[in-house]
């Protein structure tokens, strides 16, 4: 677990935009639900929604849009989300029977004779139509604009990857003052979010079919997402709360000696590393970049800092697992339906095959989900003091002198904090 609040300068002029950033990770997103359950208990009753900006990618987009569309308080929205995940099974996310699996494998084989393109539906190993039905059932998309109009929400975004342009697109819906943006290989596009945007964000390449939006096809938003925190900053966040799904950022894991490989990498082990590269590495790199920029801005004197606008320091907190999700997944593969157990074992998506990491993204079964949610809840509660302080409303706060928050010196705010992030 990692809870990190780097040094930050901030200004308060009656507006405090707290952002929630939920990364991708398939079934690993159950960990996010446990963390959110703890946050809901720690959030002050005077603050019905501590996060005016919500950003999600892949499975995190499902969690983000359910929270953003809920008509009640943050605590009520989290309770609804928790109940949803408690009832999830593989068959509510994708079809796991022999007929569906064999049919998809046959379609992929036929595509070898049609230039690698399917004639009807986009190629994929798994059929995730059940997820589409579930999303339509539990997420009232019309409520998003209502929450924005009532001032309960500033913006919500979901990330997807354009197959044609090869860039990361942040589809966002928010208040009128927000502008679209463009950076290298990434952009922000204003739209009215629908089930199609969510399905595109969660379309893991090769596993789930690509989704057509307009004239382009889109896949999982974690792919080519160079700066996962950037959308929150472009949408006006002054502080961000990030829930990751990796324990790699903890220094206790750095420099550890790995066991000698007993065999060449299995298909699932190769796939697992590719998934990790998409779902985990970019977020960890972006967090490190955020921390370095904050440290840099702290070292600049007040006069020079004003000239650096729109650069601004951003207060952040990060929660990540204290245990290996791969190991947990390796113990839970036996709970999968028969066809999936065969697929996982035949491709090496097990502990012995070295591909338990791949299994951790697809294991939507109660024993695995329950353990991840409990882990997320416990990890957050271990840091309840720091998180309670982070969640405290800052609208009425005006910093006049250096103060110590969570044991880290925080300098007074500067006018440079008012600019938009260049991220």
């Amino acid at each position: 677990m990692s809870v990190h609040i780097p040094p930050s300068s901030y200004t308060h002029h009656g507006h405090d935009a707290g952002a929630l950033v939920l990364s991708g990770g398939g079934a690993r997103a159950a960990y996010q639900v446990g963390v959110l359950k703890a946050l809901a208990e720690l959030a002050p009753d005077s603050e019905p929604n501590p996060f005016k900006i919500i950003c999600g990618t892949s499975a995190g987009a499902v969690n983000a849009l359910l929270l953003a569309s809920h008509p009640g308080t943050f605590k009520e929205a989290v309770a609804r989300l928790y109940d949803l995940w408690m009832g999830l099974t593989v068959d509510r996310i994708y079809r796991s029977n022999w007929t569906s699996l064999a049919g998809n494998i046959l379609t992929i084989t036929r595509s070898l004779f049609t230039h690698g393109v399917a004639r009807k539906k986009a190629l994929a190993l798994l059929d995730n139509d059940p997820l589409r039905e579930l999303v339509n059932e539990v997420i009232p998309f019309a409520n998003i604009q209502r929450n924005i109009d009532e001032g309960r929400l500033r913006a919500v975004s979901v990330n997807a990857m354009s197959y044609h342009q090869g860039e990361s697109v942040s589809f966002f819906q928010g208040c009128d003052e927000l502008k679209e943006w463009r950076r290298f290989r990434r952009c922000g596009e204003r739209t009215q979010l629908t089930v199609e945007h969510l399905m595109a964000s969660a379309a893991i390449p090769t596993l789930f079919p690509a989704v057509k939006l307009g004239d382009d096809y889109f896949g999982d938003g974690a792919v080519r997402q160079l700066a996962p925190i950037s959308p929150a900053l472009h949408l006006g966040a002054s502080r961000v709360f990030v829930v990751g799904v990796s324990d790699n950022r903890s220094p206790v894991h750095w420099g550890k000696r790995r066991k000698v490989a007993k065999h060449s990498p299995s298909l699932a082990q190769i796939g697992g590393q590719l998934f990790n590269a998409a779902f985990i590495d970019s977020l960890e790199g972006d967090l490190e970049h955020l921390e370095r920029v904050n440290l840099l801005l702290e070292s600049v004197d007040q006069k020079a800092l004003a000239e650096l606008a729109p650069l601004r320091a951003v207060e952040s907190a990060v929660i990540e697992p204290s245990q290996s999700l791969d190991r947990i997944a390796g113990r839970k593969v036996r709970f999968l339906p028969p066809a999936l157990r065969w697929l996982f074992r035949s491709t090496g998506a097990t502990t012995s095959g070295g591909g338990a990491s791949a299994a951790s993204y697809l294991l939507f079964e109660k024993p695995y989900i329950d353990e991840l949610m409990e882990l997320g809840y416990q990890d957050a509660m271990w840091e309840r003091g720091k998180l309670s302080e982070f969640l405290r409303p800052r609208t009425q706060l005006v910093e006049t002198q250096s103060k110590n928050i969570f044991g880290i010196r925080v300098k007074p705010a500067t006018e440079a904090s008012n600019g938009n992030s260049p991220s």
Side-chain angles (χ1 to χ4, degrees):
M1 172 183 54
S2 171
V3 176
H4 185 75
I5 297 86
S8 62
S9 301
Y10 50 89
T11 300
H12 301 283
H13 297 287
H15 173 68
D16 173 45
L20 176 65
V21 179
L22 301 173
S23 64
R28 288 180 175 223
Y31 177 83
Q32 298 172 355
V33 181
V35 173
L36 292 171
K37 183 174 184 288
L39 290 183
E41 295 180 10
L42 297 173
D45 294 333
S46 60
E47 187 73 5
N49 189 353
F51 302 109
K52 303 298 184 185
I53 299 168
I54 304 176
C55 304
T57 300
S58 193
V62 177
N63 294 340
L65 287 178
L66 192 148
L67 294 176
S69 63
H70 196 278
T73 65
F74 178 70
K75 293 184 179 183
E76 292 169 339
V78 170
R80 177 71 182 94
L81 181 63
Y82 187 84
D83 289 342
L84 169 66
W85 277 83
M86 284 289 289
L88 281 188
T89 62
V90 162
D91 290 323
R92 299 207 72 186
I93 305 299
Y94 54 90
R95 294 195 169 95
S96 60
N97 55 65
W98 287 104
T99 301
S100 177
L101 184 60
N104 292 332
I105 293 175
L106 180 60
T107 300
I108 293 173
T109 302
R110 286 174 176 170
S111 73
L112 299 177
F113 302 95
T114 55
H115 305 285
V117 178
R119 295 188 180 278
K120 296 181 179 179
K121 192 175 181 179
L123 291 175
L125 184 60
L126 301 171
D127 180 358
N128 64 347
D129 277 345
L131 174 61
R132 183 186 299 274
E133 297 170 5
L134 176 65
V135 167
N136 279 321
E137 175 187 334
V138 302
I139 299 181
F141 287 90
N143 280 355
I144 295 176
Q145 190 59 48
R146 186 175 300 117
N147 286 339
I148 293 171
D149 294 340
E150 294 176 357
R152 290 143 54 91
L153 183 68
R154 175 175 171 83
V156 58
S157 76
V158 299
N159 223 70
M161 183 268 295
S162 164
Y163 277 105
H164 179 66
Q165 299 293 338
E167 65 181 9
S168 174
V169 181
S170 297
F171 295 103
F172 71 91
Q173 187 171 345
C175 55
D176 294 338
E177 67 188 69
L178 297 174
K179 306 296 183 182
E180 295 184 342
W181 67 87
R182 176 165 290 280
R183 296 290 185 270
F184 176 71
R185 291 293 183 188
R186 52 194 172 94
C187 64
E189 182 177 317
R190 179 185 287 275
T191 189
Q192 182 172 337
L193 294 173
T194 66
V195 63
E196 298 304 318
H197 295 95
L198 192 156
M199 295 299 295
S201 182
I204 302 175
T206 71
L207 293 180
F208 299 142
V211 176
K212 191 174 184 181
L213 295 172
D215 297 326
D216 199 355
Y217 280 90
F218 288 82
D220 197 290
V223 180
R224 308 210 76 163
Q225 189 178 28
L226 302 178
I229 304 174
S230 174
L233 303 183
H234 280 290
L235 296 173
S238 59
R239 54 195 175 104
V240 294
F241 185 89
V242 182
V243 187
V245 292
S246 166
D247 59 355
N248 292 334
R249 289 188 79 240
S250 175
V252 300
H253 297 281
W254 299 350
K256 275 191 173 181
R257 296 185 64 182
R258 304 291 181 180
K259 293 182 178 179
V260 176
K262 296 180 179 179
H263 50 72
S264 62
S266 63
L267 288 175
Q269 189 172 6
I270 294 171
Q273 291 299 338
L274 292 176
F275 291 163
N276 290 342
F279 291 111
I280 293 173
D281 293 354
S282 294
L283 176 61
E284 293 177 344
D286 205 24
L287 285 169
E288 184 176 30
H289 177 70
L290 175 66
E291 293 162 8
R292 288 182 178 274
V293 171
N294 279 339
L295 290 172
L296 174 64
L297 294 178
E298 171 150 332
S299 67
V300 177
D301 63 59
Q302 298 296 311
K303 183 178 180 180
L305 189 60
E307 299 175 358
L308 292 176
L311 275 177
R312 71 183 190 277
V314 177
E315 186 181 353
S316 67
V318 183
I319 288 280
E320 292 187 309
S322 59
Q323 297 181 30
S324 169
L325 303 191
D326 295 355
R327 292 179 182 175
I328 297 174
R331 301 196 304 266
K332 307 297 181 181
V333 170
R334 67 182 187 277
F335 294 104
L336 286 167
L340 288 178
R341 284 205 307 273
W342 169 82
L343 177 65
F344 279 34
R345 287 171 179 167
S346 62
T347 58
T350 59
T351 301
S352 59
S357 181
S360 70
Y361 292 95
L362 294 171
L363 232 166
F364 291 92
E365 285 296 331
K366 186 174 176 57
Y368 180 63
I369 289 174
D370 285 355
E371 188 162 343
L372 262 57
M373 289 197 295
E374 180 61 24
L375 177 63
Y377 179 82
Q378 293 298 336
D379 283 352
M381 279 303 187
W382 271 111
E383 302 290 345
R384 61 170 65 89
K386 295 178 180 180
L387 295 182
S388 294
E389 182 69 14
F390 183 85
L391 292 169
R392 184 166 58 92
R394 287 155 169 74
T395 305
Q396 304 303 321
L397 273 176
V398 177
E399 297 297 326
T400 57
Q401 59 182 0
S402 295
K403 91 179 269 192
N404 191 33
I405 295 182
F406 316 138
I408 301 176
R409 284 182 62 80
V410 178
K411 287 190 174 181
T414 66
E415 290 304 315
S417 301
N418 294 329
N420 292 325
S421 167
S423 295

